[in-house]
Amino acid sequence: MSEKLGDYVWHNGKFIAWEDAKIHIMSHVIHYGSSVFDGIRVYDTHLGPAVFRLKDHIKRLKESAQIYRMDVNWTIDEMCQACVDTVKKNKLAACYIRPVVFRGYGPFGVNPLKNPLETYIATWEWGAYLGSEALEQGVNVCFSSWNRLAPNSLPALAKAGSNYMNSQLIKMEAILNGYVEGIALDSHGYISEGSGENIFIIKNGTILTPPLSASILPGITRDTVIYLCKELNYNIKEVNIPREHIYRADEAFFTGTAAEITPIRSVDKINIGNGKRGSITAVIQENFFKIFTGQTKVPEDWLTPIK
Ligand code: PMP
């Protein structure tokens, strides 16, 4: 791996060496996908290294666990502190934090209720997720032949490891066909999201994003962008978006903790707008990154300094 890894991993309240963060192959999670996780970024900010929207990420993790009847031993505050401690222990500044909760080694078979819950937090340095030029130049993407999770099949609002089997189908198909990312429709045929990103499109100055009912993950970057759009007095709507609307959009972009705000320059080889980062996208991106210099005012608890 080219990423700089943390030396230590937090496991059920204790630090262990990165190399020792291993599990048995007969752990429940390996066979039945029984994990929930989150992904959080630490930015170099005017306050020093600071975690972005830590509490919101940990709340989402706890909600993902709740959906799957996982009774996590740690409170939200304890887990937030554990994330901060892990970054500190690893002497990392800007980095990515990955808390994961899963069903471990125990009885074999589908019933997970008697398998122990394991909680780990790992950290590493992670650059631009969709390529180093993506933030400025945008990415070429396609629609996927795979739909996002149908309602009442796998819960899309949970950030569960098993959902990422669907994401992997979307991602592999896109990459093998020469695209950076795929956009999936929901089971009703409306635009849902990318394999690891929410999506926004802009037409005639109005910004649209699919609602939570479109089988999307409730993205924290998505929520941040909605907040910024309101602050900037843009007209923003959460609505069902038919697929063809994106081909005639002026601008489009992905949001995600890993992808940040990545412009989409073409979909299925049809240029979006002029095939470059759009002007409103650029303003939103700029305001997003200015959160980390203190120039964009956001609620105080959105930045947790690593003291
Ligand atoms: N959708 C999916 C499927 C994702 O994996 C992610 C990344 N966590 C997102 C959306 C974006 O969510 P967030 O902004 O909270 O990272």
Side-chain angles (χ1 to χ4, degrees):
M1 275 193 268
S2 57
E3 297 91 355
K4 183 171 180 289
L5 309 175
D7 291 331
Y8 298 94
V9 171
W10 186 96
H11 174 220
N12 294 346
K14 296 204 171 79
F15 285 109
I16 57 174
W18 178 278
E19 297 72 38
D20 296 331
K22 294 176 182 164
I23 59 168
H24 197 280
I25 61 129
M26 289 310 292
S27 300
H28 196 274
V29 61
I30 300 240
H31 301 263
Y32 305 115
S34 35
S35 70
V36 296
F37 68 99
D38 224 284
I40 312 167
R41 263 194 199 268
V42 179
Y43 284 91
D44 257 328
T45 76
H46 56 296
L47 307 170
V51 194
F52 185 53
R53 300 198 66 174
L54 176 58
K55 201 158 190 173
D56 295 313
H57 280 281
I58 297 299
K59 270 191 195 155
R60 184 172 67 185
L61 177 71
K62 293 278 277 193
E63 287 166 6
S64 301
Q66 169 99 349
I67 291 169
Y68 280 100
R69 302 175 192 279
M70 292 172 164
D71 205 0
V72 182
N73 262 337
W74 313 95
T75 63
I76 290 173
D77 285 346
E78 284 167 346
M79 290 209 68
C80 287
Q81 189 59 50
C83 287
V84 169
D85 291 346
T86 309
V87 175
K88 234 192 269 180
K89 177 91 176 165
N90 285 304
K91 300 191 171 69
L92 292 170
C95 67
Y96 186 85
I97 310 176
R98 168 59 55 82
V100 56
V101 178
F102 60 84
R103 309 270 193 188
Y105 183 82
F108 305 137
V110 172
N111 174 11
L113 294 171
K114 296 247 159 65
N115 291 70
L117 268 192
E118 307 284 354
T119 305
Y120 285 84
I121 302 169
T123 51
W124 67 92
E125 284 180 358
W126 216 8
Y129 178 63
L130 295 175
S132 54
E133 293 184 346
L135 291 174
E136 223 169 283
Q137 307 295 326
V139 286
N140 299 315
V141 307
C142 60
F143 274 103
S144 181
S145 66
W146 296 99
N147 280 358
R148 209 67 184 119
L149 317 161
N152 221 13
S153 61
L154 285 168
L157 297 187
K159 192 167 168 66
S162 51
N163 293 0
Y164 287 81
M165 291 300 272
N166 174 265
S167 290
Q168 288 173 56
L169 291 170
I170 296 165
K171 189 76 175 181
M172 288 189 290
E173 183 185 62
I175 300 271
L176 293 174
N177 286 325
Y179 299 96
V180 170
E181 183 58 283
I183 306 166
L185 303 178
D186 68 15
S187 59
H188 303 292
Y190 292 108
I191 292 177
S192 178
E193 60 180 348
S195 73
E197 308 86 10
N198 294 116
I199 191 165
F200 287 74
I201 76 169
I202 306 173
K203 177 81 176 167
N204 297 333
T206 297
I207 305 168
L208 306 177
T209 195
L212 295 191
S213 55
S215 295
I216 65 166
L217 183 79
I220 294 186
T221 321
R222 172 185 181 276
D223 186 70
T224 304
V225 164
I226 292 172
Y227 173 93
L228 292 177
C229 287
K230 287 181 181 160
E231 290 290 300
L232 291 163
N233 286 323
Y234 287 135
N235 187 13
I236 168 117
K237 290 185 188 152
E238 295 176 59
V239 285
N240 282 324
I241 306 171
R243 167 177 183 161
E244 66 274 21
H245 201 36
I246 200 166
Y247 298 130
R248 55 201 276 282
D250 301 324
E251 306 181 29
F253 59 89
F254 281 133
T255 63
T257 298
E260 298 170 310
I261 295 173
T262 299
I264 295 172
R265 69 174 175 219
S266 73
V267 180
D268 295 333
K269 302 204 162 96
I270 298 177
N271 275 352
I272 305 303
N274 59 9
K276 299 197 177 115
R277 173 173 61 188
S279 55
I280 296 178
T281 305
V283 171
I284 296 170
Q285 226 184 18
E286 192 187 331
N287 276 270
F288 176 77
F289 286 114
K290 280 187 173 168
I291 293 173
F292 311 114
T293 57
Q295 289 158 287
T296 298
K297 291 282 162 266
V298 291
E300 214 175 305
D301 65 352
W302 280 15
L303 290 175
T304 306
I306 308 278
K307 291 207 189 75

